[in-house]
Amino acid sequence: RRGLLIKREEKSKIYFCDQKNLISIYALSGKHVTSFGKKGKIKLKRNCQITPVIIKDKIIIGTFEPSIEVYDRFNGKLLWKFYLKKKNKKYFRYGGKRYDYSGGNPWGGISADVERGIVYVTTGNAGYYFNGVNRPGNNKYSNSIIAIDVINKKKLWDFQEIDHDIWNLDIPAPPILTSIKKNGEKIDVVVAVTKLGNTIILDRLSGEPIFDFHKQKAPQSKIPGEKTGYYQPKLIIPEPFSKQIFNKNEITNISLESKNFIENEIKNSNFGFFQPHELGKKNIFFGFHGGAEWMGASVNNSNGMMFVTSHNIPWETKIFKNKGKFIYYKYGSDSKRLLDKEGYPGSKPPWGSLTAIDLNYGKIVWQVPFGEYEELTKKGIPITGTENYGGATATAGNLIFATGTVDKKIRAFDSNNGKEMWSFQLPFAGSGPPSVYSIDGEQYIVVASTGSTSLISGYPKLIKFGNWLYCFKLNK
């Protein structure tokens, strides 16, 4: 689901998860490594949909238990696991119901500092999406970056972006391990891009933020039993790369008809800084599908430049009471994109962006729209960008290849200024960051053109599923 890992050795092996199993096969033949687990497979207690990592003779995965699990790379024996949930006896039962420990899953990915023997993991939000009544407290280890010492079998530190998340604003992408320079000193850091549009940069060993992590007082929930966080993040540096707060100034301006339609749609709605949900009212906010998404970002390790695709799509949600005597969750919810009559997002463009951020200073160097509705461009509307789920890959040759937009194109940008250099129309939307490789001095770009479940749910007339791989060769 999220990729695979190849271990180069005398008989190179590939490791990957198919949700239910951790699997090892030989790279050259595709045959199972029969000495690993049971004939090449380890049946997992809970799903895993991320790429494994290897440290020495250990292979590490993240599962939906939620946990980090460490196996012997050669025989597949489970060595130990770390649970990504913090049980609080104070809340063992709440309101007559047992405490909800669900969520906080490591579905975005993990990264390994092989030399230090440390894995870094990003986690999702606590369940239930918009209803936190059954999980009071800040829901430790959810919406977090966590460092685990694999050699000494212990957690080193954890850092939480959002307390008691009820907006589905998890950290969706794998952590990035790189180095930056600050005050003339080189610092090894871990970087996470978030659905809120934040870039969190932490010292790799201590977990301390490199830049001040500002918080702002947030409104409190009016739903009985719901206790939201008193303060939520309001970062100044690094500069957010996507819109974070919906308000009336963000209503679409592509036409008077669209503007009037959206104004009418939201007239009985709440919106603002971390606005909680309220019975009988809709809640409008950015970030339900990002900001950043599972594709993450691409970083130039030599100069600290990061390139990230993102989008600014408003969503509307509503909370209601569930009916029936024997229900676990007292409240249910509905959610959907806030779209105008023509199916365009209900906020001002850009709806999708490609952003360059200097991690050394936390400043945006440039930002350009990513994706296009040609019919709007023909009407004289500046390029709007679109929702996107493909991602970007930067190269040492100052090019960025990016895909996943509604218009189904792969594009190349100049990494110095964001100028579009080339594009190609794919039959289906790109579904992952382009891969770059070279053979005999020739450089190639491969992209999967398969469509996107997330895009189909919002734009079923424009997006379909396919199964193509496209390969391009760069001119010397």
Side-chain angles (χ1 to χ4, degrees):
R1 186 92 186 259
R2 296 274 186 260
L4 49 80
L5 169 73
I6 184 168
K7 175 64 175 176
R8 295 181 183 275
E9 50 194 347
E10 185 178 349
K11 289 186 176 181
S12 294
K13 301 179 182 71
I14 291 172
Y15 297 90
F16 64 95
C17 291
D18 69 348
Q19 303 264 27
K20 300 289 187 183
N21 302 280
L22 172 59
I23 299 171
S24 177
I25 61 176
Y26 289 110
L28 290 180
S29 67
K31 293 181 179 180
H32 286 90
V33 180
T34 54
S35 59
F36 182 80
K38 291 185 177 180
K39 297 181 179 180
K41 288 187 177 183
I42 298 171
K43 187 172 178 59
L44 303 173
K45 187 175 180 181
R46 294 288 187 272
N47 282 6
C48 168
Q49 60 181 43
I50 60 176
T51 307
V53 295
I54 288 175
I55 294 179
K56 295 185 178 179
D57 58 351
K58 300 173 178 64
I59 184 164
I60 303 104
I61 63 171
T63 76
F64 280 18
E65 195 155 359
S67 66
I68 296 298
E69 301 182 359
V70 182
Y71 294 87
D72 184 290
R73 186 173 75 81
F74 300 104
N75 60 29
K77 180 182 177 182
L78 176 64
L79 302 176
W80 64 281
K81 66 171 67 177
F82 179 84
Y83 291 97
L84 297 170
K85 54 188 175 186
K86 186 75 172 178
K87 291 194 174 184
N88 191 328
K89 293 181 180 178
K90 176 182 175 183
Y91 296 131
F92 184 72
R93 297 192 72 81
Y94 187 76
K97 306 284 186 182
R98 67 173 175 81
Y99 185 94
D100 183 357
Y101 287 106
S102 67
N105 294 310
W107 68 271
I110 55 179
S111 299
D113 184 329
V114 177
E115 290 185 4
R116 293 186 174 103
I118 302 171
V119 293
Y120 299 86
V121 57
T122 49
T123 62
N125 51 285
Y128 196 58
Y129 267 0
F130 309 118
N131 169 16
V133 172
N134 294 65
R135 49 173 173 87
N138 65 356
N139 307 136
K140 189 174 177 64
Y141 296 151
S142 63
N143 303 76
S144 296
I145 307 159
I146 304 166
I148 298 171
D149 184 335
V150 171
I151 307 302
N152 297 303
K153 303 181 181 180
K154 65 178 183 178
K155 183 197 75 174
L156 294 180
W157 53 259
D158 62 277
F159 184 92
Q160 189 170 39
E161 181 190 23
I162 297 171
D163 292 346
H164 193 81
D165 180 14
I166 54 170
W167 303 273
N168 189 37
L169 297 175
D170 45 286
I171 303 180
I176 300 167
L177 304 184
T178 188
S179 300
I180 64 169
K181 288 184 178 179
K182 191 174 184 185
N183 301 324
E185 180 184 0
K186 182 181 177 182
I187 306 171
D188 288 344
V189 296
V190 54
V191 180
V193 291
T194 77
K195 281 187 178 180
L196 191 57
N198 287 329
T199 304
I200 301 174
I201 309 175
L202 308 175
D203 184 286
R204 215 184 291 181
L205 294 179
S206 68
E208 290 297 315
I210 299 298
F211 302 97
D212 291 340
F213 192 80
H214 292 271
K215 287 192 172 186
Q216 180 176 307
K217 194 170 184 179
Q220 295 300 292
S221 176
K222 297 178 182 178
I223 292 179
E226 183 76 272
K227 294 182 180 180
T228 46
Y230 287 105
Y231 296 90
Q232 297 292 3
K234 181 64 176 175
L235 270 61
I236 300 170
I237 300 292
E239 294 177 315
F241 53 81
S242 62
K243 296 179 180 181
Q244 297 186 323
I245 301 173
F246 184 88
N247 55 44
K248 288 186 177 180
N249 291 328
E250 289 294 343
I251 293 175
T252 180
N253 59 357
I254 63 170
S255 72
L256 182 59
E257 183 182 17
S258 291
K259 182 174 182 288
N260 291 338
F261 179 83
I262 296 299
E263 284 180 341
N264 185 63
E265 281 288 295
I266 69 170
K267 63 184 178 182
N268 186 37
S269 301
N270 290 326
F271 38 79
F273 179 78
F274 282 89
Q275 186 67 42
H277 310 294
E278 182 180 352
L279 291 170
K281 281 194 172 185
K282 291 187 293 186
N283 194 8
I284 313 295
F285 61 95
F286 290 116
F288 178 77
H289 273 187
E293 258 295 343
W294 65 267
M295 305 80 63
S298 184
V299 171
N300 185 334
N301 292 317
S302 64
N303 62 12
M305 288 295 296
M306 182 183 82
F307 309 98
V308 59
T309 55
S310 63
H311 38 247
N312 307 299
I313 307 297
W315 281 69
E316 56 180 275
T317 64
K318 62 180 179 180
I319 293 285
F320 51 84
K321 282 187 177 181
N322 285 324
K323 297 179 180 179
K325 290 183 178 181
F326 306 104
I327 54 171
Y328 178 70
Y329 292 109
K330 187 175 182 179
Y331 303 100
S333 62
D334 283 331
S335 61
K336 63 178 181 179
R337 291 169 176 82
L338 178 64
L339 303 176
D340 69 11
K341 269 188 176 180
E342 302 301 318
Y344 300 117
S347 59
K348 287 179 181 176
W351 299 320
S353 300
L354 174 64
T355 307
I357 299 175
D358 188 333
L359 297 177
N360 302 290
Y361 301 97
K363 291 283 190 177
I364 292 176
V365 178
W366 53 258
Q367 186 174 70
V368 296
F370 180 45
E372 180 183 14
Y373 289 99
E374 289 186 356
E375 67 274 18
L376 295 181
T377 305
K378 289 176 181 177
K379 292 180 180 180
I381 298 171
I383 293 176
T384 61
T386 76
E387 195 166 347
N388 57 90
Y389 296 90
T393 303
T395 75
N398 296 321
L399 287 176
I400 304 166
F401 292 90
T403 188
T405 49
V406 172
D407 59 17
K408 301 185 284 291
K409 289 184 178 181
I410 177 174
R411 292 175 165 87
F413 297 86
D414 185 330
S415 63
N416 294 305
N417 53 30
K419 180 182 177 182
E420 185 176 319
M421 307 296 289
W422 167 85
S423 68
F424 181 87
Q425 182 74 58
L426 298 167
F428 305 96
S431 54
S435 295
V436 181
Y437 67 96
S438 62
I439 297 177
D440 298 330
E442 299 279 9
Q443 193 169 352
Y444 301 86
I445 310 294
V446 170
V447 61
S449 171
T450 66
S452 160
T453 298
S454 296
L455 286 181
I456 285 177
S457 68
Y459 314 92
K461 293 182 180 179
L462 300 176
I463 303 296
K464 305 296 180 185
F465 283 129
N467 59 353
W468 288 87
L469 284 175
Y470 273 77
C471 182
F472 305 90
K473 186 171 74 171
L474 270 67
N475 294 327
K476 289 188 177 180

